[in-house]
Amino acid sequence: MTTYENLLSAISAPEGQGVPMKDPATGAVVGRAPQHAEADLDAAVEIARQAQPEWAARSHAERSEYLNRAADAVEACAEALAELLSREQGKPLNGPNARFEVGACAGWLRANAGFEIEPEVLVEDESGTAVLEYVPVGVVGAIGPWNWPMMISIWQIAPSLRMGNTVVLKPSEYTPLSVLGLAAVLNQVLPEGVLQVVPGGGELGAALTAHQDIDKLMFTGSTSTGQAIMRSAADTLKRLTLELGGNDAGIVLPDADPEAIAEGLFWGAFINTGQTCAALKRLYVHESQYEAVCEALVDVAQKMPMGVGMDEQNVLGPLQNKAQFDIVTSLVDQARASGARILTGGDPEADQAGYFYPTTLVADIDNDNPLVAQEQFGPALPIVKYSDLDEVIDWANALEVGLGSSVWGTDLEAARAVAARLQAGTTWINKHGAIDPRVPFGGVKRSGYGLEFGLEGLKSVALPKVTSW
Ligand code: NAD
């Protein structure tokens, strides 16, 4: 049986080597992350290239069977994985956090195993026949962030493997053990060489991006790194999927029921303690509902326990790292200094062992305040009052990013009419961030391009191939 202890000892660097990874809730050392150099990356890419033709030669049914067995392995090791994730990333075991993330890994593997990707007959008449099929790209390079390290890795791994590619993945330097642990479990069932993880920093990511033998790069992370990747990928004309930062707006319409939507709004914004790409990051509320929504949100926020991830009662955790803690602190301090009203939170304890920033709701804040205009990526939600629908739609669309957005109200047709005017890859109605492995997900504007999930996600890690006769 895979326990937390034997999983950790299988992936940690020996004593005296590697980089110590610390629990962001306590500062305790979790384990030691091995560090790969460029030569290790080259060796991994070579192994991936050697393994790829045989993997691609298997049928879709065989590869799907492997993905289902990989999901079984994740489920069999779920508690060990959740503990590793909670200790390294900081997220609590419970709530929509570590156990949820491990469960989603199994779910995404099974969903990708289950899709049918049929050849498309484009033309079939007296002029001839043309058929479109999807063939493997080759070796996929994947680079991930630290907020949902296991789940986002699976978003990259599962469709890539399903389509007959092999994968070399560079995890975030903040959460390498989580990804190494997940890969160790997947590799209990996968053939050798189809999935490898190369832990290291941004320079190793840059080397992977520039590598001559990587055919496609999947990147999830910040917009600025995505821009660097795009520049570097030009030399090899690498295919790219870029899932980048967001600053999702939510619009509460005058006919919304504040009590009914408060919990949905809360988790839309505070899932993973706000460290989520498609979280609700700026909330616009019609003046007629403003105070009622603020009060209902404060009630929900004050009921949600925050603390050390391994304590079963907690549903909110620390910020994952000091840099993110400092960003959130600075944005809330600027909001307070501008005269905004702090409804709850905003006052982290001094001298604490972890990077805990209290759940913070900020009202009476201007639309151009930095807490609204910049991605906070933490537990601090600005609530902006509006009176005119056209103006609030302009505000929602004014930023350079466009990942998700949401509209909240009781008249579905009216909400859909607003949704149609929002510039975002996804607009949810009366929910936010509710991703589904069957439903394509991706950003517009500087939130990136390319789709993940569903059949569109499979196609994005394949090459379209037309045969015509
Ligand atoms: P980041 O861009 O700092 O780092 C992401 C990864 O890129 C890390 O593995 C890092 O080592 C690597 N990297 C750094 N420099 C590189 C370079 N020059 N070339 C190649 N790789 C390089 O992002 P982060 O701070 O880890 O993640 C937070 C950001 O990610 C937020 O903006 C968030 O919105 C975004 N995000 C987006 C999605 C999505 O699906 N759109 C999902 C999660 C997070």
Side-chain angles (χ1 to χ4, degrees):
M1 192 185 116
T2 304
T3 62
Y4 168 70
E5 285 74 18
N6 60 31
L7 182 61
L8 189 63
S9 72
I11 57 173
S12 277
E15 202 52 47
Q17 292 177 32
V19 174
M21 304 308 302
K22 293 186 180 166
D23 183 337
T26 62
V29 173
V30 178
R32 305 185 66 85
Q35 294 299 294
H36 282 197
E38 229 176 293
D40 302 309
L41 170 67
D42 290 342
V45 174
E46 178 57 26
I47 290 169
R49 188 143 292 289
Q50 298 287 336
Q52 198 268 333
E54 198 182 320
W55 180 242
R58 294 175 191 267
S59 66
H60 275 293
E62 274 180 279
R63 289 195 298 265
S64 290
E65 179 54 29
Y66 271 108
L67 293 194
N68 280 323
R69 286 176 49 210
D72 295 342
V74 168
E75 280 163 358
C77 303
E79 273 303 290
L81 288 169
E83 182 170 347
L84 177 61
L85 180 59
S86 177
R87 287 187 188 276
E88 183 182 49
Q89 204 283 337
K91 63 184 67 189
L93 290 172
N94 289 318
N97 293 299
R99 288 181 176 129
F100 166 84
E101 182 167 347
V102 173
C105 289
W108 250 263
L109 284 162
R110 290 197 199 289
N112 276 279
F115 298 136
E116 290 297 337
I117 183 147
E118 306 281 0
E120 292 169 40
V121 180
L122 305 171
V123 174
E124 196 173 28
D125 59 18
E126 62 287 351
S127 70
T129 303
V131 178
L132 173 62
E133 290 169 282
Y134 290 89
V135 300
V137 190
V139 180
V140 171
I143 301 177
W146 47 260
N147 56 341
W148 293 90
M150 291 187 184
M151 185 167 75
I152 289 173
S153 296
I154 282 288
W155 294 355
Q156 299 169 328
I157 294 166
S160 297
L161 293 184
R162 169 64 204 271
M163 293 309 289
N165 309 291
T166 52
V167 178
V168 177
L169 193 155
K170 196 213 73 75
S172 166
E173 53 274 44
Y174 291 108
T175 50
L177 295 174
S178 299
V179 179
L180 285 164
L182 175 67
V185 169
L186 300 176
N187 279 328
Q188 291 173 358
V189 301
L190 293 173
E192 216 175 313
V194 306
L195 169 64
Q196 297 167 87
V197 175
V198 287
E203 53 321 314
L204 200 66
L208 181 63
T209 308
H211 206 288
Q212 296 287 338
D213 273 333
I214 294 288
D215 301 294
K216 154 106 198 184
L217 198 93
M218 301 184 79
F219 173 73
T220 298
S222 63
T223 296
S224 58
T225 306
Q227 288 165 325
I229 285 177
M230 200 169 166
R231 277 184 215 108
S232 145
D235 287 340
T236 48
L237 216 73
K238 242 176 223 90
R239 279 141 185 83
L240 297 176
T241 297
L242 299 175
E243 294 285 1
L244 309 178
N247 193 345
D248 292 9
I251 298 177
V252 177
L253 298 175
D255 70 343
D257 174 351
E259 292 291 326
I261 63 174
E263 195 152 332
L265 286 173
F266 179 83
W267 283 116
F270 291 92
I271 183 167
N272 199 27
T273 316
Q275 302 161 106
T276 298
C277 50
L280 204 179
K281 292 173 181 154
R282 43 194 178 120
L283 180 61
Y284 296 101
V285 182
H286 189 261
E287 58 189 356
S288 62
Q289 301 281 26
Y290 192 75
E291 288 307 324
V293 168
C294 288
E295 276 168 34
L297 267 173
V298 170
D299 281 350
V300 176
Q302 290 179 344
K303 284 191 207 117
M304 299 295 176
M306 177 184 285
V308 174
M310 290 301 294
D311 291 351
E312 295 279 346
Q313 81 275 7
N314 292 325
V315 293
L316 296 164
L319 273 312
Q320 204 281 330
N321 53 70
K322 170 86 164 61
Q324 201 59 45
F325 179 87
D326 290 345
I327 290 171
V328 175
T329 303
S330 159
L331 288 173
V332 175
D333 288 353
Q334 288 177 67
R336 185 193 284 107
S338 75
R341 180 163 52 115
I342 310 286
L343 298 172
T344 186
D347 201 10
E349 270 176 43
D351 303 327
Q352 50 174 345
Y355 303 126
F356 290 102
Y357 196 94
T359 308
T360 300
L361 295 165
V362 182
D364 299 342
I365 183 165
D366 291 335
N367 187 47
D368 59 1
N369 190 285
L371 181 60
V372 182
Q374 294 171 26
E375 184 186 32
Q376 71 278 57
F377 218 61
L381 179 69
I383 310 171
V384 182
K385 191 186 292 178
Y386 77 88
S387 52
D388 179 74
L389 186 61
D390 291 332
E391 184 177 49
V392 78
I393 291 171
D394 285 347
W395 287 350
N397 289 337
L399 300 185
E400 287 171 339
V401 285
L403 190 55
S405 58
S406 57
V407 184
W408 304 73
T410 46
D411 178 345
L412 181 61
E413 285 317 306
R416 286 189 62 182
V418 176
R421 296 172 62 189
L422 294 178
Q423 296 166 357
T426 305
T427 301
W428 289 279
I429 294 176
N430 292 323
K431 54 188 181 178
H432 196 111
I435 51 166
D436 181 317
R438 299 165 299 181
V439 180
F441 172 75
V444 299
K445 303 203 277 187
R446 294 191 192 174
S447 290
Y449 57 75
L451 289 169
E452 295 188 287
F453 314 167
L455 277 181
E456 295 306 318
L458 291 188
K459 291 176 185 174
S460 79
V461 282
L463 296 176
K465 167 80 197 275
V466 173
T467 313
S468 182
W469 64 92

mmCIF file of all heavy atoms in Angstrom, residues 143-147 152 155 170-173 200-202 205-206 209 219-223 225 228-229 243-246 277 281 375 377 403 441 447 452, ligand 1:
data_model
loop_
_atom_site.group_PDB
_atom_site.id
_atom_site.type_symbol
_atom_site.label_atom_id
_atom_site.label_comp_id
_atom_site.label_asym_id
_atom_site.label_seq_id
_atom_site.Cartn_x
_atom_site.Cartn_y
_atom_site.Cartn_z
ATOM 1 N N ILE A 143 4.373 22.686 -18.610
ATOM 2 C CA ILE A 143 4.911 23.528 -17.520
ATOM 3 C C ILE A 143 3.725 24.002 -16.683
ATOM 4 O O ILE A 143 2.722 24.472 -17.243
ATOM 5 C CB ILE A 143 5.675 24.743 -18.083
ATOM 6 C CG1 ILE A 143 6.838 24.274 -18.971
ATOM 7 C CG2 ILE A 143 6.196 25.628 -16.955
ATOM 8 C CD1 ILE A 143 7.623 25.406 -19.634
ATOM 9 N N GLY A 144 3.851 23.857 -15.371
ATOM 10 C CA GLY A 144 2.683 24.148 -14.533
ATOM 11 C C GLY A 144 2.937 25.145 -13.427
ATOM 12 O O GLY A 144 4.090 25.472 -13.107
ATOM 13 N N PRO A 145 1.856 25.638 -12.804
ATOM 14 C CA PRO A 145 1.924 26.584 -11.684
ATOM 15 C C PRO A 145 1.825 25.859 -10.335
ATOM 16 O O PRO A 145 1.774 24.637 -10.283
ATOM 17 C CB PRO A 145 0.700 27.451 -11.925
ATOM 18 C CG PRO A 145 -0.314 26.482 -12.437
ATOM 19 C CD PRO A 145 0.444 25.403 -13.189
ATOM 20 N N TRP A 146 1.738 26.651 -9.258
ATOM 21 C CA TRP A 146 1.772 26.060 -7.917
ATOM 22 C C TRP A 146 0.408 26.011 -7.242
ATOM 23 O O TRP A 146 0.285 25.556 -6.114
ATOM 24 C CB TRP A 146 2.740 26.840 -7.023
ATOM 25 C CG TRP A 146 2.584 28.344 -7.089
ATOM 26 C CD1 TRP A 146 3.373 29.202 -7.809
ATOM 27 C CD2 TRP A 146 1.601 29.175 -6.437
ATOM 28 N NE1 TRP A 146 2.941 30.505 -7.643
ATOM 29 C CE2 TRP A 146 1.851 30.513 -6.803
ATOM 30 C CE3 TRP A 146 0.523 28.904 -5.569
ATOM 31 C CZ2 TRP A 146 1.084 31.579 -6.349
ATOM 32 C CZ3 TRP A 146 -0.244 29.962 -5.123
ATOM 33 C CH2 TRP A 146 0.039 31.282 -5.510
ATOM 34 N N ASN A 147 -0.630 26.544 -7.888
ATOM 35 C CA ASN A 147 -1.894 26.681 -7.144
ATOM 36 C C ASN A 147 -2.715 25.388 -7.096
ATOM 37 O O ASN A 147 -3.262 25.017 -6.072
ATOM 38 C CB ASN A 147 -2.706 27.848 -7.702
ATOM 39 C CG ASN A 147 -2.983 27.734 -9.178
ATOM 40 O OD1 ASN A 147 -2.321 27.005 -9.913
ATOM 41 N ND2 ASN A 147 -3.977 28.458 -9.640
ATOM 42 N N ILE A 152 -3.792 20.512 -12.437
ATOM 43 C CA ILE A 152 -3.381 21.145 -13.702
ATOM 44 C C ILE A 152 -2.406 20.239 -14.455
ATOM 45 O O ILE A 152 -2.446 20.163 -15.689
ATOM 46 C CB ILE A 152 -2.849 22.565 -13.442
ATOM 47 C CG1 ILE A 152 -4.038 23.467 -13.065
ATOM 48 C CG2 ILE A 152 -2.127 23.128 -14.665
ATOM 49 C CD1 ILE A 152 -3.703 24.866 -12.616
ATOM 50 N N TRP A 155 -4.519 17.874 -16.306
ATOM 51 C CA TRP A 155 -5.132 18.508 -17.496
ATOM 52 C C TRP A 155 -4.178 18.432 -18.687
ATOM 53 O O TRP A 155 -4.606 18.399 -19.837
ATOM 54 C CB TRP A 155 -5.438 19.988 -17.230
ATOM 55 C CG TRP A 155 -6.484 20.252 -16.193
ATOM 56 C CD1 TRP A 155 -7.266 19.346 -15.528
ATOM 57 C CD2 TRP A 155 -6.864 21.545 -15.701
ATOM 58 N NE1 TRP A 155 -8.090 19.999 -14.655
ATOM 59 C CE2 TRP A 155 -7.868 21.338 -14.738
ATOM 60 C CE3 TRP A 155 -6.437 22.842 -15.979
ATOM 61 C CZ2 TRP A 155 -8.471 22.397 -14.055
ATOM 62 C CZ3 TRP A 155 -7.029 23.897 -15.301
ATOM 63 C CH2 TRP A 155 -8.040 23.671 -14.347
ATOM 64 N N LYS A 170 7.525 19.938 -16.465
ATOM 65 C CA LYS A 170 8.290 20.691 -15.461
ATOM 66 C C LYS A 170 7.321 21.360 -14.493
ATOM 67 O O LYS A 170 6.578 22.272 -14.863
ATOM 68 C CB LYS A 170 9.180 21.762 -16.107
ATOM 69 C CG LYS A 170 10.221 22.212 -15.091
ATOM 70 C CD LYS A 170 10.631 23.649 -15.170
ATOM 71 C CE LYS A 170 9.661 24.666 -14.706
ATOM 72 N NZ LYS A 170 9.510 24.778 -13.246
ATOM 73 N N PRO A 171 7.300 20.884 -13.241
ATOM 74 C CA PRO A 171 6.365 21.484 -12.277
ATOM 75 C C PRO A 171 6.889 22.813 -11.760
ATOM 76 O O PRO A 171 8.057 23.152 -11.947
ATOM 77 C CB PRO A 171 6.353 20.453 -11.146
ATOM 78 C CG PRO A 171 7.688 19.777 -11.217
ATOM 79 C CD PRO A 171 8.129 19.817 -12.658
ATOM 80 N N SER A 172 6.022 23.548 -11.087
ATOM 81 C CA SER A 172 6.452 24.793 -10.431
ATOM 82 C C SER A 172 7.503 24.476 -9.374
ATOM 83 O O SER A 172 7.421 23.469 -8.668
ATOM 84 C CB SER A 172 5.257 25.464 -9.771
ATOM 85 O OG SER A 172 5.716 26.475 -8.887
ATOM 86 N N GLU A 173 8.464 25.362 -9.232
ATOM 87 C CA GLU A 173 9.498 25.188 -8.202
ATOM 88 C C GLU A 173 8.917 25.282 -6.790
ATOM 89 O O GLU A 173 9.561 24.912 -5.825
ATOM 90 C CB GLU A 173 10.636 26.199 -8.389
ATOM 91 C CG GLU A 173 10.242 27.663 -8.476
ATOM 92 C CD GLU A 173 9.857 28.091 -9.906
ATOM 93 O OE1 GLU A 173 9.130 27.346 -10.584
ATOM 94 O OE2 GLU A 173 10.283 29.192 -10.305
ATOM 95 N N GLY A 200 12.616 21.689 -11.434
ATOM 96 C CA GLY A 200 13.627 22.741 -11.563
ATOM 97 C C GLY A 200 12.937 24.090 -11.624
ATOM 98 O O GLY A 200 11.709 24.174 -11.527
ATOM 99 N N GLY A 201 13.705 25.129 -11.820
ATOM 100 C CA GLY A 201 13.167 26.486 -11.799
ATOM 101 C C GLY A 201 12.791 27.000 -13.175
ATOM 102 O O GLY A 201 12.693 26.242 -14.148
ATOM 103 N N GLY A 202 12.601 28.325 -13.249
ATOM 104 C CA GLY A 202 12.168 28.957 -14.493
ATOM 105 C C GLY A 202 13.132 28.716 -15.645
ATOM 106 O O GLY A 202 12.725 28.569 -16.799
ATOM 107 N N GLY A 205 12.361 25.566 -17.264
ATOM 108 C CA GLY A 205 11.158 25.775 -18.091
ATOM 109 C C GLY A 205 11.520 26.418 -19.414
ATOM 110 O O GLY A 205 11.023 26.036 -20.483
ATOM 111 N N ALA A 206 12.422 27.403 -19.357
ATOM 112 C CA ALA A 206 12.844 28.078 -20.588
ATOM 113 C C ALA A 206 13.563 27.093 -21.509
ATOM 114 O O ALA A 206 13.377 27.119 -22.735
ATOM 115 C CB ALA A 206 13.748 29.258 -20.233
ATOM 116 N N THR A 209 11.022 24.926 -23.156
ATOM 117 C CA THR A 209 10.316 25.685 -24.194
ATOM 118 C C THR A 209 11.134 25.782 -25.481
ATOM 119 O O THR A 209 10.585 25.717 -26.579
ATOM 120 C CB THR A 209 10.048 27.120 -23.687
ATOM 121 O OG1 THR A 209 9.425 27.033 -22.422
ATOM 122 C CG2 THR A 209 9.171 27.886 -24.637
ATOM 123 N N PHE A 219 1.293 25.248 -21.435
ATOM 124 C CA PHE A 219 1.746 26.067 -20.312
ATOM 125 C C PHE A 219 0.556 26.604 -19.538
ATOM 126 O O PHE A 219 -0.388 27.139 -20.129
ATOM 127 C CB PHE A 219 2.590 27.252 -20.816
ATOM 128 C CG PHE A 219 2.930 28.220 -19.711
ATOM 129 C CD1 PHE A 219 3.874 27.883 -18.742
ATOM 130 C CD2 PHE A 219 2.297 29.451 -19.612
ATOM 131 C CE1 PHE A 219 4.174 28.763 -17.702
ATOM 132 C CE2 PHE A 219 2.593 30.332 -18.576
ATOM 133 C CZ PHE A 219 3.535 29.986 -17.623
ATOM 134 N N THR A 220 0.619 26.480 -18.229
ATOM 135 C CA THR A 220 -0.337 27.162 -17.362
ATOM 136 C C THR A 220 0.447 27.965 -16.349
ATOM 137 O O THR A 220 1.287 27.419 -15.625
ATOM 138 C CB THR A 220 -1.259 26.151 -16.647
ATOM 139 O OG1 THR A 220 -1.998 25.447 -17.631
ATOM 140 C CG2 THR A 220 -2.239 26.855 -15.725
ATOM 141 N N GLY A 221 0.187 29.256 -16.299
ATOM 142 C CA GLY A 221 0.896 30.135 -15.370
ATOM 143 C C GLY A 221 0.561 31.582 -15.685
ATOM 144 O O GLY A 221 -0.502 31.879 -16.240
ATOM 145 N N SER A 222 1.474 32.474 -15.366
ATOM 146 C CA SER A 222 1.177 33.903 -15.483
ATOM 147 C C SER A 222 1.270 34.389 -16.934
ATOM 148 O O SER A 222 1.941 33.775 -17.773
ATOM 149 C CB SER A 222 2.152 34.697 -14.617
ATOM 150 O OG SER A 222 3.463 34.500 -15.101
ATOM 151 N N THR A 223 0.629 35.509 -17.195
ATOM 152 C CA THR A 223 0.654 36.083 -18.545
ATOM 153 C C THR A 223 2.080 36.455 -18.943
ATOM 154 O O THR A 223 2.507 36.201 -20.075
ATOM 155 C CB THR A 223 -0.275 37.311 -18.600
ATOM 156 O OG1 THR A 223 -1.620 36.845 -18.363
ATOM 157 C CG2 THR A 223 -0.234 38.000 -19.959
ATOM 158 N N THR A 225 4.982 35.126 -18.061
ATOM 159 C CA THR A 225 5.759 33.941 -18.463
ATOM 160 C C THR A 225 5.226 33.396 -19.785
ATOM 161 O O THR A 225 6.005 32.970 -20.649
ATOM 162 C CB THR A 225 5.720 32.860 -17.359
ATOM 163 O OG1 THR A 225 6.137 33.432 -16.135
ATOM 164 C CG2 THR A 225 6.626 31.695 -17.697
ATOM 165 N N ALA A 228 6.867 35.229 -22.519
ATOM 166 C CA ALA A 228 8.265 34.803 -22.723
ATOM 167 C C ALA A 228 8.290 33.474 -23.482
ATOM 168 O O ALA A 228 9.122 33.266 -24.378
ATOM 169 C CB ALA A 228 8.971 34.671 -21.376
ATOM 170 N N ILE A 229 7.374 32.585 -23.147
ATOM 171 C CA ILE A 229 7.316 31.269 -23.802
ATOM 172 C C ILE A 229 6.972 31.429 -25.275
ATOM 173 O O ILE A 229 7.562 30.786 -26.146
ATOM 174 C CB ILE A 229 6.301 30.371 -23.054
ATOM 175 C CG1 ILE A 229 6.945 29.912 -21.748
ATOM 176 C CG2 ILE A 229 5.827 29.209 -23.919
ATOM 177 C CD1 ILE A 229 6.071 29.080 -20.870
ATOM 178 N N GLU A 243 -2.547 28.745 -20.989
ATOM 179 C CA GLU A 243 -3.607 29.037 -20.003
ATOM 180 C C GLU A 243 -3.011 30.027 -19.012
ATOM 181 O O GLU A 243 -2.222 29.640 -18.150
ATOM 182 C CB GLU A 243 -4.043 27.758 -19.279
ATOM 183 C CG GLU A 243 -4.738 26.730 -20.151
ATOM 184 C CD GLU A 243 -6.174 27.100 -20.492
ATOM 185 O OE1 GLU A 243 -6.636 28.178 -20.067
ATOM 186 O OE2 GLU A 243 -6.813 26.320 -21.208
ATOM 187 N N LEU A 244 -3.375 31.291 -19.122
ATOM 188 C CA LEU A 244 -2.650 32.332 -18.379
ATOM 189 C C LEU A 244 -3.520 32.970 -17.298
ATOM 190 O O LEU A 244 -4.586 32.462 -16.963
ATOM 191 C CB LEU A 244 -2.113 33.361 -19.379
ATOM 192 C CG LEU A 244 -1.329 32.743 -20.547
ATOM 193 C CD1 LEU A 244 -0.857 33.816 -21.522
ATOM 194 C CD2 LEU A 244 -0.157 31.910 -20.066
ATOM 195 N N GLY A 245 -3.056 34.060 -16.790
ATOM 196 C CA GLY A 245 -3.742 34.701 -15.668
ATOM 197 C C GLY A 245 -5.093 35.288 -16.045
ATOM 198 O O GLY A 245 -5.405 35.478 -17.219
ATOM 199 N N GLY A 246 -5.874 35.565 -15.043
ATOM 200 C CA GLY A 246 -7.186 36.173 -15.261
ATOM 201 C C GLY A 246 -7.468 37.197 -14.185
ATOM 202 O O GLY A 246 -6.723 37.333 -13.214
ATOM 203 N N CYS A 277 -6.949 30.341 -10.962
ATOM 204 C CA CYS A 277 -6.915 31.163 -12.182
ATOM 205 C C CYS A 277 -8.279 31.758 -12.464
ATOM 206 O O CYS A 277 -8.426 32.959 -12.612
ATOM 207 C CB CYS A 277 -6.423 30.336 -13.358
ATOM 208 S SG CYS A 277 -7.273 28.774 -13.557
ATOM 209 N N LYS A 281 -12.615 37.534 -9.124
ATOM 210 C CA LYS A 281 -11.598 38.402 -8.522
ATOM 211 C C LYS A 281 -12.058 39.843 -8.352
ATOM 212 O O LYS A 281 -11.379 40.643 -7.706
ATOM 213 C CB LYS A 281 -10.307 38.329 -9.340
ATOM 214 C CG LYS A 281 -9.667 36.933 -9.195
ATOM 215 C CD LYS A 281 -8.482 36.677 -10.079
ATOM 216 C CE LYS A 281 -7.987 35.248 -9.829
ATOM 217 N NZ LYS A 281 -7.289 34.662 -10.954
ATOM 218 N N GLU A 375 -4.612 41.293 -10.701
ATOM 219 C CA GLU A 375 -4.971 39.958 -10.202
ATOM 220 C C GLU A 375 -4.386 39.780 -8.802
ATOM 221 O O GLU A 375 -3.171 39.739 -8.638
ATOM 222 C CB GLU A 375 -4.404 38.887 -11.151
ATOM 223 C CG GLU A 375 -4.821 37.486 -10.765
ATOM 224 C CD GLU A 375 -4.156 36.395 -11.610
ATOM 225 O OE1 GLU A 375 -3.006 36.572 -12.059
ATOM 226 O OE2 GLU A 375 -4.803 35.351 -11.806
ATOM 227 N N PHE A 377 -4.962 37.117 -6.640
ATOM 228 C CA PHE A 377 -4.589 35.710 -6.462
ATOM 229 C C PHE A 377 -4.461 35.362 -4.976
ATOM 230 O O PHE A 377 -3.472 34.796 -4.524
ATOM 231 C CB PHE A 377 -3.279 35.421 -7.206
ATOM 232 C CG PHE A 377 -3.252 34.065 -7.853
ATOM 233 C CD1 PHE A 377 -4.161 33.714 -8.830
ATOM 234 C CD2 PHE A 377 -2.297 33.121 -7.482
ATOM 235 C CE1 PHE A 377 -4.134 32.454 -9.432
ATOM 236 C CE2 PHE A 377 -2.258 31.863 -8.073
ATOM 237 C CZ PHE A 377 -3.183 31.542 -9.057
ATOM 238 N N LEU A 403 -10.374 35.461 -18.861
ATOM 239 C CA LEU A 403 -10.439 34.011 -18.635
ATOM 240 C C LEU A 403 -11.889 33.608 -18.374
ATOM 241 O O LEU A 403 -12.563 33.085 -19.249
ATOM 242 C CB LEU A 403 -9.498 33.631 -17.486
ATOM 243 C CG LEU A 403 -9.253 32.143 -17.255
ATOM 244 C CD1 LEU A 403 -8.754 31.461 -18.512
ATOM 245 C CD2 LEU A 403 -8.242 31.928 -16.129
ATOM 246 N N PHE A 441 -12.335 24.652 -21.974
ATOM 247 C CA PHE A 441 -11.984 25.768 -21.087
ATOM 248 C C PHE A 441 -10.735 26.447 -21.649
ATOM 249 O O PHE A 441 -9.795 25.770 -22.058
ATOM 250 C CB PHE A 441 -11.708 25.210 -19.690
ATOM 251 C CG PHE A 441 -11.159 26.204 -18.701
ATOM 252 C CD1 PHE A 441 -11.979 27.164 -18.144
ATOM 253 C CD2 PHE A 441 -9.830 26.159 -18.317
ATOM 254 C CE1 PHE A 441 -11.473 28.080 -17.220
ATOM 255 C CE2 PHE A 441 -9.310 27.067 -17.392
ATOM 256 C CZ PHE A 441 -10.137 28.028 -16.845
ATOM 257 N N SER A 447 -5.390 36.251 -21.502
ATOM 258 C CA SER A 447 -5.502 35.052 -20.671
ATOM 259 C C SER A 447 -5.088 33.813 -21.458
ATOM 260 O O SER A 447 -5.188 32.698 -20.941
ATOM 261 C CB SER A 447 -6.929 34.891 -20.138
ATOM 262 O OG SER A 447 -7.197 35.897 -19.188
ATOM 263 N N GLU A 452 -8.520 23.544 -23.408
ATOM 264 C CA GLU A 452 -8.308 22.284 -22.710
ATOM 265 C C GLU A 452 -9.687 21.689 -22.427
ATOM 266 O O GLU A 452 -10.695 22.395 -22.462
ATOM 267 C CB GLU A 452 -7.560 22.529 -21.399
ATOM 268 C CG GLU A 452 -6.150 23.059 -21.630
ATOM 269 C CD GLU A 452 -5.336 23.123 -20.342
ATOM 270 O OE1 GLU A 452 -5.604 24.011 -19.522
ATOM 271 O OE2 GLU A 452 -4.444 22.267 -20.164
HETATM 272 P P1 NAD B 1 4.487 31.615 -13.235
HETATM 273 O O1 NAD B 1 4.291 32.080 -14.623
HETATM 274 O O2 NAD B 1 5.328 32.428 -12.332
HETATM 275 O O3 NAD B 1 5.158 30.162 -13.238
HETATM 276 C C1 NAD B 1 4.562 29.082 -13.914
HETATM 277 C C2 NAD B 1 5.634 28.104 -14.368
HETATM 278 O O4 NAD B 1 6.455 28.694 -15.374
HETATM 279 C C3 NAD B 1 6.562 27.619 -13.278
HETATM 280 O O5 NAD B 1 6.738 26.227 -13.443
HETATM 281 C C4 NAD B 1 7.860 28.369 -13.588
HETATM 282 O O6 NAD B 1 9.015 27.702 -13.156
HETATM 283 C C5 NAD B 1 7.821 28.420 -15.085
HETATM 284 N N1 NAD B 1 8.646 29.462 -15.710
HETATM 285 C C6 NAD B 1 9.084 30.629 -15.172
HETATM 286 N N2 NAD B 1 9.781 31.336 -16.085
HETATM 287 C C7 NAD B 1 9.771 30.603 -17.238
HETATM 288 C C8 NAD B 1 10.285 30.820 -18.550
HETATM 289 N N3 NAD B 1 10.955 31.912 -18.870
HETATM 290 N N4 NAD B 1 10.049 29.877 -19.483
HETATM 291 C C9 NAD B 1 9.342 28.767 -19.198
HETATM 292 N N5 NAD B 1 8.842 28.508 -17.963
HETATM 293 C C10 NAD B 1 9.045 29.418 -16.997
HETATM 294 O O7 NAD B 1 3.019 31.392 -12.643
HETATM 295 P P2 NAD B 1 2.606 30.958 -11.151
HETATM 296 O O8 NAD B 1 2.881 32.111 -10.245
HETATM 297 O O9 NAD B 1 3.170 29.630 -10.820
HETATM 298 O O10 NAD B 1 1.021 30.762 -11.290
HETATM 299 C C11 NAD B 1 0.115 31.774 -11.029
HETATM 300 C C12 NAD B 1 -0.446 32.331 -12.314
HETATM 301 O O11 NAD B 1 -0.952 31.281 -13.127
HETATM 302 C C13 NAD B 1 -1.616 33.255 -12.102
HETATM 303 O O12 NAD B 1 -1.535 34.368 -12.975
HETATM 304 C C14 NAD B 1 -2.823 32.406 -12.493
HETATM 305 O O13 NAD B 1 -3.954 33.152 -12.896
HETATM 306 C C15 NAD B 1 -2.252 31.577 -13.585
HETATM 307 N N6 NAD B 1 -3.017 30.328 -13.774
HETATM 308 C C16 NAD B 1 -3.756 30.169 -14.918
HETATM 309 C C17 NAD B 1 -4.519 29.017 -15.087
HETATM 310 C C18 NAD B 1 -5.368 28.808 -16.316
HETATM 311 O O14 NAD B 1 -5.855 27.701 -16.518
HETATM 312 N N7 NAD B 1 -5.552 29.810 -17.159
HETATM 313 C C19 NAD B 1 -4.528 28.046 -14.085
HETATM 314 C C20 NAD B 1 -3.759 28.248 -12.940
HETATM 315 C C21 NAD B 1 -2.998 29.393 -12.800
#
